[in-house]
Every structure is written in structure tokens, then in C-alpha cells.
Amino acid sequence: MRREVVVVGDRETVTGFSLAGVARGYVHSSREETLRVIRGLLAEEGVGLLLLTHRVAEELGEELRRMLRGKGPFPMVLRIPDRTGYRPERDELEEMVKRTVGAEVVLRREEE
Amino acid sequence: MMAVSPTRMGLLRLRRRIALARKGHDLLREKMDALVMEFFEVLRRIYEAREGAFQQLARAHAQLSLCLASWGTLETEQAARETRKGVFLETSLRYVMGVPVPVAEVGETVRTSLGRGYSLLSPSLLDRASEEFERALKLLVEVAELEETARALAGELERTRRRVNALEYILIPRLEAALKFIAMRLDEMEREHFFRLKRIKAVLERREEAGGVPEG
């Protein structure tokens, strides 16, 4: 199935990806507005990839996490650095690894 | 304690259930181990792919900053609006141990200046910025695919672990307790039965001694 790419972030990120041919970009301004946009995008069949800057993701916080929790394989959501290269110290991926692997360690210990 | 009938039949049925639960537990365990291995493999690939993609994105932003500064913000943004928007993903699903994970192909993202569709009079700085973003986009699609795969595997791992634990710490111990209860109850019934037989025998013998029963 053909699906499109959507980018949500700061102005430079949106401009950059438009230059690369991404049709839809949303410049983040207010938290409520961006949350509403993302909620809509997640429900859209035709969205294959949602690029979201780390900084915006961080500002949306727990509400975004909750939205993403029950999500299927599509749309894929990827957090990316913005023009300043900002990446949080503990990103979602590392959290997930710790959760998965951490419990794994405990489980191995129980076996002995 | 579960509701069980203390009969031989109940005992047999329970034994079968325990054997089944143990088998299920072993199978889920194996699935979990395989998922863990798969997960780590994907993780290794993420760390590889992500660095490259983010570096490319940083290069793209540096190039764009140059363009914004020297050609102008408004002009650059106008060109971005005029750019031909043709990026699509060819998506499908792949199953890794029964877990659906996304597959996305983006094809060639790097275009010629002509293919981009903005004015050919724009500076080469703009072309360079566009090209760097096109490269970054291709790499990011791969990272997204891998990260979503890792997320799906982690979710399945979590669910499998919960089921393994439920069997190991709840269902199997409960079944075993029920089995023990039935076994004890059956033993007790046997003792009672034996005792009754002895009593009957004693009564009969006493009657015999009293001469109550005429000899035939």
C-alpha cells in the first residue's frame, strides 16, 4: 500500500523536508494544536511515517506517549533531532530497551 | 483453591491439565528466548542505522541554514512550497514470529534540480540543501522501520512474559495444589472405607460367636 510521509516540528525541519518532497508538514506552535494534529494523523490510513522532532515530542509529553501506546505498525513514528541537533538524554528507545531488558535480567536471576 | 471433584476421574483430568500447562509453559519460554534474540539483533541494527541517519540530518540542517542565511528565509520557504511533492512509501507488513512489523520502501529520494520542480533560477545552495534532506529522508525511513520493529517485538515479549509468569506462578501451582488435595482426599476415603470394612467384619464375627447365626 502507498502511504505518505508527514513531518511535525520546527519551521526549519518542515522546510527541509518539504524541499525533499514531503507533502505534508506541520510547524509546531501550540501544544493543544499539535496534539490534535497528531491524533488526526495517527487515525489516518494513508500516513506511513510521521517524523516528529524530539523537542516537540518532549513538549507533548505523557499525552503523546499515551496516544502512541496502542498504535499498530502504521503509521510509523520516528523522533528526530531538530535543527539544533537536540536529542534527549533518555529517549523512548532507550526507555523501551531498559524496560524490556531490565525485566529480562530479573527473570534470568529467578531461574537460578 | 479451585473447585475440583475429589474423584479418580478428577485426578486424571487434573494430571492432564498440568501436563498441558507445563508444555505450554515450555513452548512460550522458547518463544520468549527467540524473541529476545530477535530483539537484540534489531537493536544492534538500529544503533548502526540511527547514527548515520542523524548525522546526515545534521548535515542537511547545516546546508539549509546556509541557504536560509544567504538566500533568505522567505525565498527558501517559498521554494519549499513550490517543490514537487512526490515522496511515497510502499508499505506492507512482515511477520516476525507471528508479530506484525512494518516494511516500508521509499525508492530513490534524491532528485535532479529539474525533478524538484522549483524555479531553476534558485541558487545551488538550495539544491544542496534539498539533496541533503532527500538523503536524510531515505535513511530515516530505514530507522523508523527498525524502531517500529523493535517496539512491536518488545510488546510481544512483554505479553509472552506475562503469560509465562501466569502459568509458572499462578496456574501451575494452583493445579498442583488441587492435585494434592484430591490425592489426600482419595487416600482418606480409602482409609475410611477400609475401616468400615473392618468394623463390619468385627460385627459379623461377634454375631457368629454369639451363635446368632445357625450353622449350616
Side-chain angles (χ1 to χ4, degrees):
Chain A
M1 183 184 171
R2 254 164 77 116
R3 288 184 160 103
E4 59 181 336
V5 179
V6 183
V7 56
V8 175
D10 57 332
R11 216 161 136 186
E12 285 81 356
T13 301
V14 171
T15 304
F17 283 101
S18 309
L19 284 172
V22 172
R24 289 165 74 189
Y26 295 92
V27 176
H28 166 71
S29 53
S30 81
R31 196 167 171 275
E32 280 61 42
E33 177 62 14
T34 304
L35 276 171
R36 201 182 56 75
V37 166
I38 291 177
R39 192 174 293 119
L41 291 172
L42 289 179
E44 243 179 83
E45 232 342 70
V47 180
L49 171 62
L50 171 59
L51 294 171
L52 185 65
T53 63
H54 273 301
R55 208 183 285 276
V56 171
E58 213 164 63
E59 198 185 321
L60 302 180
E62 186 51 38
E63 247 167 301
L64 175 72
R65 264 194 290 279
R66 210 170 320 131
M67 264 188 240
L68 296 182
R69 213 164 283 149
K71 186 180 78 64
F74 290 106
M76 307 187 289
V77 176
L78 182 67
R79 295 170 182 77
I80 55 173
D82 59 11
R83 99 196 129 82
T84 63
Y86 175 75
R87 282 165 79 175
E89 274 181 22
R90 287 156 28 128
D91 75 3
E92 296 291 313
L93 181 72
E94 275 137 30
E95 293 280 286
M96 185 183 76
V97 173
K98 202 187 289 164
R99 206 169 50 233
T100 312
V101 180
E104 201 51 43
V105 175
V106 174
L107 212 85
R108 291 261 155 84
R109 208 182 295 141
E110 276 171 1
E111 268 173 16
E112 287 162 12
Chain B
M1 180 57 70
M2 348 182 116
V4 286
S5 49
T7 58
R8 295 248 158 242
M9 200 54 216
L11 194 73
L12 287 175
R13 204 175 293 142
L14 258 179
R15 278 208 187 114
R16 268 203 300 274
R17 275 189 75 186
I18 290 175
L20 192 68
R22 287 220 176 98
K23 202 163 143 195
H25 176 260
D26 291 349
L27 285 174
L28 284 174
R29 254 259 107 94
E30 274 170 37
K31 180 181 173 183
M32 221 169 79
D33 290 345
L35 277 170
V36 169
M37 275 166 59
E38 196 73 38
F39 181 72
F40 276 110
E41 174 56 25
V42 174
L43 217 56
R44 196 182 56 73
R45 288 169 58 199
I46 291 176
Y47 284 121
E48 261 174 37
R50 202 161 66 154
E51 282 323 302
F54 285 2
Q55 272 167 25
Q56 178 57 42
L57 185 61
R59 266 197 295 278
H61 271 298
Q63 222 23 267
L64 180 65
S65 297
L66 274 179
C67 186
L68 289 168
S70 77
W71 193 38
T73 309
L74 291 178
E75 289 81 354
T76 307
E77 285 178 355
Q78 183 55 37
R81 270 191 291 278
E82 286 166 7
T83 306
R84 190 167 296 140
K85 305 300 193 302
V87 177
F88 275 101
L89 304 178
E90 210 42 70
T91 63
S92 57
L93 288 178
R94 190 165 66 92
Y95 289 85
V96 180
M97 315 217 351
V99 187
V101 301
V103 179
E105 295 283 339
V106 72
E108 185 49 62
T109 50
V110 177
R111 307 179 286 186
T112 61
S113 314
L114 214 63
R116 293 191 185 112
Y118 49 65
S119 163
L120 286 174
L121 298 174
S122 38
S124 60
L125 267 177
L126 183 70
D127 282 335
R128 242 171 280 151
S130 304
E131 188 179 332
E132 298 290 8
F133 268 98
E134 285 160 1
R135 285 189 206 287
L137 182 61
K138 187 162 175 73
L139 297 176
L140 289 172
V141 170
E142 279 167 41
V143 179
E145 197 187 274
L146 288 170
E147 280 204 19
E148 289 291 340
T149 301
R151 203 180 55 81
L153 289 176
E156 183 67 13
L157 201 57
E158 198 71 33
R159 277 190 293 279
T160 310
R161 176 154 39 225
R162 259 203 296 277
R163 285 164 69 196
V164 167
N165 285 346
L167 283 174
E168 190 169 333
Y169 297 111
I170 298 165
L171 186 68
I172 294 178
R174 259 187 211 165
L175 288 175
E176 278 171 345
L179 188 78
K180 208 167 143 199
F181 167 76
I182 294 189
M184 274 167 59
R185 187 82 191 90
L186 285 178
D187 278 356
E188 205 179 301
M189 275 158 69
E190 198 154 309
R191 275 194 297 279
E192 276 169 18
H193 189 60
F194 183 66
F195 183 71
R196 244 192 319 268
L197 283 180
K198 287 199 88 148
R199 279 293 287 266
I200 292 169
K201 199 176 166 206
V203 170
L204 285 177
E205 271 169 5
R206 234 189 345 265
R207 269 192 213 157
E208 218 166 286
E209 272 161 30
V213 182
E215 275 171 70

PDB file of all heavy atoms in Angstrom, chain B residues 150-164:
ATOM      1  N   ALA B 150      11.369  -3.042  16.558  1.00  0.00           N
ATOM      2  CA  ALA B 150      11.823  -3.271  17.935  1.00  0.00           C
ATOM      3  C   ALA B 150      10.666  -3.072  18.916  1.00  0.00           C
ATOM      4  O   ALA B 150      10.480  -3.852  19.846  1.00  0.00           O
ATOM      5  CB  ALA B 150      12.978  -2.328  18.277  1.00  0.00           C
ATOM      6  N   ARG B 151       9.862  -2.045  18.648  1.00  0.00           N
ATOM      7  CA  ARG B 151       8.749  -1.745  19.542  1.00  0.00           C
ATOM      8  C   ARG B 151       7.719  -2.882  19.532  1.00  0.00           C
ATOM      9  O   ARG B 151       7.233  -3.315  20.577  1.00  0.00           O
ATOM     10  CB  ARG B 151       8.083  -0.441  19.101  1.00  0.00           C
ATOM     11  CG  ARG B 151       7.305   0.273  20.163  1.00  0.00           C
ATOM     12  CD  ARG B 151       6.689   1.544  19.590  1.00  0.00           C
ATOM     13  NE  ARG B 151       5.885   1.272  18.405  1.00  0.00           N
ATOM     14  CZ  ARG B 151       4.633   0.819  18.460  1.00  0.00           C
ATOM     15  NH1 ARG B 151       4.044   0.622  19.602  1.00  0.00           N
ATOM     16  NH2 ARG B 151       3.968   0.576  17.342  1.00  0.00           N
ATOM     17  N   ALA B 152       7.444  -3.391  18.326  1.00  0.00           N
ATOM     18  CA  ALA B 152       6.475  -4.487  18.216  1.00  0.00           C
ATOM     19  C   ALA B 152       6.997  -5.738  18.917  1.00  0.00           C
ATOM     20  O   ALA B 152       6.257  -6.425  19.628  1.00  0.00           O
ATOM     21  CB  ALA B 152       6.190  -4.777  16.745  1.00  0.00           C
ATOM     22  N   LEU B 153       8.278  -6.017  18.732  1.00  0.00           N
ATOM     23  CA  LEU B 153       8.865  -7.200  19.367  1.00  0.00           C
ATOM     24  C   LEU B 153       8.861  -7.053  20.888  1.00  0.00           C
ATOM     25  O   LEU B 153       8.569  -8.002  21.613  1.00  0.00           O
ATOM     26  CB  LEU B 153      10.293  -7.432  18.867  1.00  0.00           C
ATOM     27  CG  LEU B 153      10.441  -7.915  17.424  1.00  0.00           C
ATOM     28  CD1 LEU B 153      11.907  -8.016  17.046  1.00  0.00           C
ATOM     29  CD2 LEU B 153       9.757  -9.267  17.232  1.00  0.00           C
ATOM     30  N   ALA B 154       9.173  -5.850  21.353  1.00  0.00           N
ATOM     31  CA  ALA B 154       9.194  -5.612  22.796  1.00  0.00           C
ATOM     32  C   ALA B 154       7.802  -5.825  23.393  1.00  0.00           C
ATOM     33  O   ALA B 154       7.658  -6.411  24.468  1.00  0.00           O
ATOM     34  CB  ALA B 154       9.700  -4.206  23.107  1.00  0.00           C
ATOM     35  N   GLY B 155       6.787  -5.363  22.665  1.00  0.00           N
ATOM     36  CA  GLY B 155       5.413  -5.538  23.132  1.00  0.00           C
ATOM     37  C   GLY B 155       5.044  -7.009  23.227  1.00  0.00           C
ATOM     38  O   GLY B 155       4.454  -7.451  24.211  1.00  0.00           O
ATOM     39  N   GLU B 156       5.415  -7.757  22.197  1.00  0.00           N
ATOM     40  CA  GLU B 156       5.096  -9.183  22.179  1.00  0.00           C
ATOM     41  C   GLU B 156       5.865  -9.917  23.290  1.00  0.00           C
ATOM     42  O   GLU B 156       5.342 -10.822  23.941  1.00  0.00           O
ATOM     43  CB  GLU B 156       5.460  -9.771  20.812  1.00  0.00           C
ATOM     44  CG  GLU B 156       5.117 -11.232  20.627  1.00  0.00           C
ATOM     45  CD  GLU B 156       3.619 -11.512  20.616  1.00  0.00           C
ATOM     46  OE1 GLU B 156       2.836 -10.552  20.497  1.00  0.00           O
ATOM     47  OE2 GLU B 156       3.249 -12.689  20.740  1.00  0.00           O
ATOM     48  N   LEU B 157       7.091  -9.484  23.489  1.00  0.00           N
ATOM     49  CA  LEU B 157       7.931 -10.067  24.545  1.00  0.00           C
ATOM     50  C   LEU B 157       7.268  -9.880  25.910  1.00  0.00           C
ATOM     51  O   LEU B 157       7.194 -10.798  26.725  1.00  0.00           O
ATOM     52  CB  LEU B 157       9.283  -9.364  24.521  1.00  0.00           C
ATOM     53  CG  LEU B 157      10.477 -10.062  25.151  1.00  0.00           C
ATOM     54  CD1 LEU B 157      10.696 -11.406  24.512  1.00  0.00           C
ATOM     55  CD2 LEU B 157      11.712  -9.197  24.965  1.00  0.00           C
ATOM     56  N   GLU B 158       6.766  -8.662  26.088  1.00  0.00           N
ATOM     57  CA  GLU B 158       6.091  -8.327  27.346  1.00  0.00           C
ATOM     58  C   GLU B 158       4.868  -9.226  27.559  1.00  0.00           C
ATOM     59  O   GLU B 158       4.667  -9.780  28.631  1.00  0.00           O
ATOM     60  CB  GLU B 158       5.663  -6.865  27.268  1.00  0.00           C
ATOM     61  CG  GLU B 158       5.348  -6.214  28.586  1.00  0.00           C
ATOM     62  CD  GLU B 158       6.610  -6.000  29.384  1.00  0.00           C
ATOM     63  OE1 GLU B 158       7.691  -5.744  28.801  1.00  0.00           O
ATOM     64  OE2 GLU B 158       6.527  -6.124  30.610  1.00  0.00           O
ATOM     65  N   ARG B 159       4.075  -9.347  26.511  1.00  0.00           N
ATOM     66  CA  ARG B 159       2.860 -10.184  26.615  1.00  0.00           C
ATOM     67  C   ARG B 159       3.227 -11.636  26.865  1.00  0.00           C
ATOM     68  O   ARG B 159       2.618 -12.308  27.696  1.00  0.00           O
ATOM     69  CB  ARG B 159       2.046 -10.091  25.316  1.00  0.00           C
ATOM     70  CG  ARG B 159       1.139  -8.876  25.247  1.00  0.00           C
ATOM     71  CD  ARG B 159       0.191  -8.969  24.070  1.00  0.00           C
ATOM     72  NE  ARG B 159       0.892  -8.894  22.794  1.00  0.00           N
ATOM     73  CZ  ARG B 159       1.277  -7.752  22.237  1.00  0.00           C
ATOM     74  NH1 ARG B 159       1.006  -6.601  22.818  1.00  0.00           N
ATOM     75  NH2 ARG B 159       1.924  -7.730  21.096  1.00  0.00           N
ATOM     76  N   THR B 160       4.235 -12.136  26.158  1.00  0.00           N
ATOM     77  CA  THR B 160       4.638 -13.535  26.333  1.00  0.00           C
ATOM     78  C   THR B 160       5.146 -13.764  27.745  1.00  0.00           C
ATOM     79  O   THR B 160       4.822 -14.761  28.383  1.00  0.00           O
ATOM     80  CB  THR B 160       5.740 -13.903  25.317  1.00  0.00           C
ATOM     81  OG1 THR B 160       5.324 -13.505  24.030  1.00  0.00           O
ATOM     82  CG2 THR B 160       5.997 -15.401  25.328  1.00  0.00           C
ATOM     83  N   ARG B 161       5.901 -12.796  28.243  1.00  0.00           N
ATOM     84  CA  ARG B 161       6.455 -12.934  29.587  1.00  0.00           C
ATOM     85  C   ARG B 161       5.333 -13.004  30.619  1.00  0.00           C
ATOM     86  O   ARG B 161       5.383 -13.786  31.553  1.00  0.00           O
ATOM     87  CB  ARG B 161       7.378 -11.764  29.886  1.00  0.00           C
ATOM     88  CG  ARG B 161       7.917 -11.813  31.309  1.00  0.00           C
ATOM     89  CD  ARG B 161       9.225 -11.108  31.466  1.00  0.00           C
ATOM     90  NE  ARG B 161       9.278  -9.892  30.702  1.00  0.00           N
ATOM     91  CZ  ARG B 161      10.308  -9.540  29.954  1.00  0.00           C
ATOM     92  NH1 ARG B 161      11.356 -10.304  29.884  1.00  0.00           N
ATOM     93  NH2 ARG B 161      10.277  -8.417  29.292  1.00  0.00           N
ATOM     94  N   ARG B 162       4.309 -12.175  30.390  1.00  0.00           N
ATOM     95  CA  ARG B 162       3.187 -12.198  31.332  1.00  0.00           C
ATOM     96  C   ARG B 162       2.506 -13.557  31.334  1.00  0.00           C
ATOM     97  O   ARG B 162       2.137 -14.081  32.379  1.00  0.00           O
ATOM     98  CB  ARG B 162       2.171 -11.114  30.976  1.00  0.00           C
ATOM     99  CG  ARG B 162       2.301  -9.888  31.853  1.00  0.00           C
ATOM    100  CD  ARG B 162       1.017  -9.113  31.874  1.00  0.00           C
ATOM    101  NE  ARG B 162       0.682  -8.585  30.557  1.00  0.00           N
ATOM    102  CZ  ARG B 162       1.187  -7.452  30.080  1.00  0.00           C
ATOM    103  NH1 ARG B 162       2.002  -6.738  30.806  1.00  0.00           N
ATOM    104  NH2 ARG B 162       0.858  -7.035  28.890  1.00  0.00           N
ATOM    105  N   ARG B 163       2.361 -14.124  30.146  1.00  0.00           N
ATOM    106  CA  ARG B 163       1.707 -15.433  30.068  1.00  0.00           C
ATOM    107  C   ARG B 163       2.565 -16.515  30.704  1.00  0.00           C
ATOM    108  O   ARG B 163       2.070 -17.393  31.403  1.00  0.00           O
ATOM    109  CB  ARG B 163       1.402 -15.774  28.606  1.00  0.00           C
ATOM    110  CG  ARG B 163       0.220 -14.975  28.082  1.00  0.00           C
ATOM    111  CD  ARG B 163       0.159 -14.996  26.586  1.00  0.00           C
ATOM    112  NE  ARG B 163      -0.176 -16.307  26.059  1.00  0.00           N
ATOM    113  CZ  ARG B 163       0.012 -16.656  24.785  1.00  0.00           C
ATOM    114  NH1 ARG B 163       0.537 -15.798  23.949  1.00  0.00           N
ATOM    115  NH2 ARG B 163      -0.327 -17.845  24.375  1.00  0.00           N
ATOM    116  N   VAL B 164       3.874 -16.451  30.457  1.00  0.00           N
ATOM    117  CA  VAL B 164       4.782 -17.430  31.078  1.00  0.00           C
ATOM    118  C   VAL B 164       4.678 -17.330  32.593  1.00  0.00           C
ATOM    119  O   VAL B 164       4.533 -18.343  33.290  1.00  0.00           O
ATOM    120  CB  VAL B 164       6.246 -17.187  30.628  1.00  0.00           C
ATOM    121  CG1 VAL B 164       7.211 -17.968  31.492  1.00  0.00           C
ATOM    122  CG2 VAL B 164       6.422 -17.578  29.170  1.00  0.00           C
TER     123      VAL B 164
END
